[in-house]
């Protein structure tokens, strides 16, 4: 097979708790991650060039070595040099639908798709956990993006425990096109403001993580109780991002005022905000009301839903 097309879904955080600072400068986290139907398409094509090239239809996205999809291909080439020299280069085309720098793991899911796609292209037969291990070198969210669905993520975010899948929960997702939040800035600012509350040693990390496993939101996911899930949404990074970005706070407050909205939260380090509703029709109603109320062409709104998978093959050529 010389070409594969893959669907690379975005993720939201139903829960993000910052537990402490780690020796490696990352933060110890307890998160619940959820794949959504909003997705990019990644086409991989075996080229006769011995080079890795990225093409993207989004003008803001660099296609050079800094692109995470590019880095994923370089990682595969350096881990499997024989396959790389046998099969030659790879052309990667990213059809961007997921908002950029939004807290939706757009870059991470592209990288995950490249790992999965090159594994297929070169016939490597890697397992999901081998792919996840490779993915952890590229970014904390990459391992989750490979298998997707619903999962507890601890450590840096790369240690995954699957949860029962939460299919067909409807959401409205909003993002100001011109706003981008730097993830390192969000974590750094959090550390400056709340670092004194951090738990200091690793033993405590484990205990705290266990408490999260037992948390009400995890139980609500087990019984698919959308109302309880909506009331228990949590994201520590809101404490630093909302005060710094008043437009995001306003959006969050406007969502919360809609009678159809069961719960609303910023995703990841933001600035995208999602609202959980009961049905597709409620999602369309809320999307319409927010569009009218904010009346700003810079605001993008999506009706989307939770899904039970990560990277998937679209069509075979
Ligand atoms: O892992 P990733 O490259 O996606 O992380 C981006 C940045 O977010 C890191 O450089 C770090 O500043 C911050 N981060 C963190 N703790 C985590 C995950 C990310 O401090 N667990």
């Amino acid at each position: 097979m010389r070409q594969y097309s893959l669907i690379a879904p975005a993720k939201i955080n139903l829960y993000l708790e910052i537990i402490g600072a780690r020796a490696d400068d990352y933060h110890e986290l307890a998160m619940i991650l959820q794949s959504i139907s909003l997705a990019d398409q990644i086409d991989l094509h075996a080229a006769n060039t011995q080079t890795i090239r990225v093409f993207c239809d989004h003008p803001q996205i660099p296609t050079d070595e800094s692109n995470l999809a590019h880095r994923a291909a370089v990682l595969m080439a350096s881990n499997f040099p024989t396959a790389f020299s046998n099969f030659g280069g790879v052309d990667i085309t990213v059809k961007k639908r997921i908002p950029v720098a939004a807290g939706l793991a757009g870059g991470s899911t592209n990288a995950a798709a490249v790992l999965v796609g090159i594994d297929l292209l070169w016939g490597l037969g890697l397992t999901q956990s081998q792919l996840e291990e490779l993915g952890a070198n590229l970014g904390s969210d990459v391992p989750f993006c490979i298998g997707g669905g619903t999962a507890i993520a601890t450590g840096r975010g790369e240690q995954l425990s699957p949860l029962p899948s939460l299919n067909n929960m409807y959401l409205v997702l909003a993002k100001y096109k011109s706003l981008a939040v730097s993830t390192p800035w969000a974590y750094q600012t959090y550390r400056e403001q709340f670092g004194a509350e951090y738990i200091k040693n690793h033993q405590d990390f484990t205990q705290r993580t266990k408490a999260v496993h037992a948390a009400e939101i995890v139980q609500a996911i087990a019984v698919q109780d959308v109302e309880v899930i909506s009331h228990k949404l949590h994201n520590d990074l809101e404490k630093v991002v909302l005060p710094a970005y008043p437009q995001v706070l306003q959006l969050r407050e406007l969502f919360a005022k809609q009678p159809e909205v069961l719960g609303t939260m910023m995703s990841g380090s933001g600035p995208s905000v999602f609202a959980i509703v009961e049905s597709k029709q409620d999602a369309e109603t809320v999307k319409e009301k927010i569009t009218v109320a904010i009346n700003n062409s810079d605001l993008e709104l999506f009706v989307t839903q939770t899904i039970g998978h990560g990277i998937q093959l679209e069509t075979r050529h």
Side-chain angles (χ1 to χ4, degrees):
M1 215 67 76
R2 304 283 298 161
Q3 184 166 325
Y4 286 92
S5 282
L6 298 119
I7 299 298
K11 66 91 185 134
I12 55 168
N13 299 73
L14 298 174
Y15 188 94
L16 191 164
E17 184 184 357
I18 301 176
I19 292 171
R22 294 161 46 117
D24 60 6
D25 261 2
Y26 279 80
H27 288 80
E28 188 76 9
L29 304 176
M31 301 191 283
I32 298 173
L33 302 176
Q34 173 63 58
S35 301
I36 57 173
S37 57
L38 179 67
D40 292 340
Q41 185 180 320
I42 310 293
D43 296 334
L44 290 176
H45 190 268
N48 298 320
T49 53
Q50 289 294 326
T51 57
I52 291 158
R53 296 189 299 184
V54 175
F55 305 89
C56 184
D57 58 0
H58 192 298
Q60 270 172 19
I61 294 182
T63 52
D64 62 8
E65 295 78 14
S66 67
N67 185 303
L68 212 52
H70 194 286
R71 287 177 46 207
V74 169
L75 181 74
M76 290 300 268
S78 66
N79 274 271
F80 305 100
T82 312
F84 183 49
S85 65
N86 288 346
F87 288 91
V90 188
D91 282 350
I92 302 163
T93 306
V94 180
K95 292 181 186 144
K96 248 304 146 210
R97 302 290 168 268
I98 304 170
V100 179
L104 299 170
S108 301
T109 193
N110 293 174
V114 169
L115 299 179
V116 171
I118 290 184
D119 174 54
L120 293 170
L121 210 56
W122 295 351
L124 299 170
L126 299 176
T127 62
Q128 183 168 323
S129 71
Q130 286 172 316
L131 289 167
E132 286 171 359
E133 213 170 294
L134 285 165
N137 296 305
L138 297 164
S140 309
D141 289 336
V142 178
F144 169 76
C145 290
I146 293 169
T150 311
I152 297 177
T154 53
R156 281 197 290 135
E158 87 292 11
Q159 314 264 341
L160 303 171
S161 324
L163 288 172
S165 125
L166 191 62
N167 294 344
N168 306 324
M169 186 169 84
Y170 280 96
L171 307 157
V172 185
L173 187 71
K175 154 104 198 337
Y176 282 102
K177 287 181 225 162
S178 61
L179 285 191
V181 173
S182 146
T183 304
W185 170 84
Y187 279 102
Q188 182 55 37
T189 309
Y190 190 92
R191 188 186 296 224
E192 282 159 22
Q193 291 183 14
F194 302 102
E197 295 167 20
Y198 284 170
I199 291 179
K200 293 288 182 301
N201 73 59
H202 198 267
Q203 184 65 26
D204 290 339
F205 285 171
T206 315
Q207 281 169 12
R208 219 17 207 283
T209 302
K210 278 195 187 127
V212 171
H213 279 257
E216 285 160 293
I217 190 163
V218 174
Q219 292 183 6
I221 289 168
V223 296
Q224 311 270 305
D225 188 332
V226 174
E227 214 151 304
V228 175
I229 294 167
S230 303
H231 293 154
K232 299 291 171 190
L233 298 171
H234 178 81
N235 184 349
D236 273 336
L237 289 174
E238 282 199 336
K239 293 182 211 159
V240 292
V241 178
L242 296 186
Y245 293 85
Q247 275 174 298
V248 182
L249 176 63
Q250 183 211 18
L251 191 57
R252 172 91 165 63
E253 286 175 344
L254 195 59
F255 266 140
K257 275 194 211 143
Q258 307 306 314
E260 298 85 355
V261 169
L262 302 172
T264 177
M265 189 63 45
M266 186 180 84
S267 183
S269 55
S272 66
V273 176
F274 64 89
I276 299 178
V277 292
E278 215 169 78
S279 64
K280 186 162 197 288
Q281 195 183 339
D282 280 358
E284 297 291 355
T285 305
V286 170
K287 179 182 167 186
E288 183 58 30
K289 286 205 264 181
I290 302 290
T291 306
V292 171
I294 293 194
N295 187 23
N296 181 345
S297 60
D298 193 40
L299 183 69
E300 280 185 293
L301 285 147
F302 303 87
V303 168
T304 181
Q305 69 193 95
T306 59
I307 56 171
H309 62 82
I311 306 304
Q312 266 195 345
L313 219 44
E314 206 205 28
T315 37
R316 276 164 181 264
H317 297 265

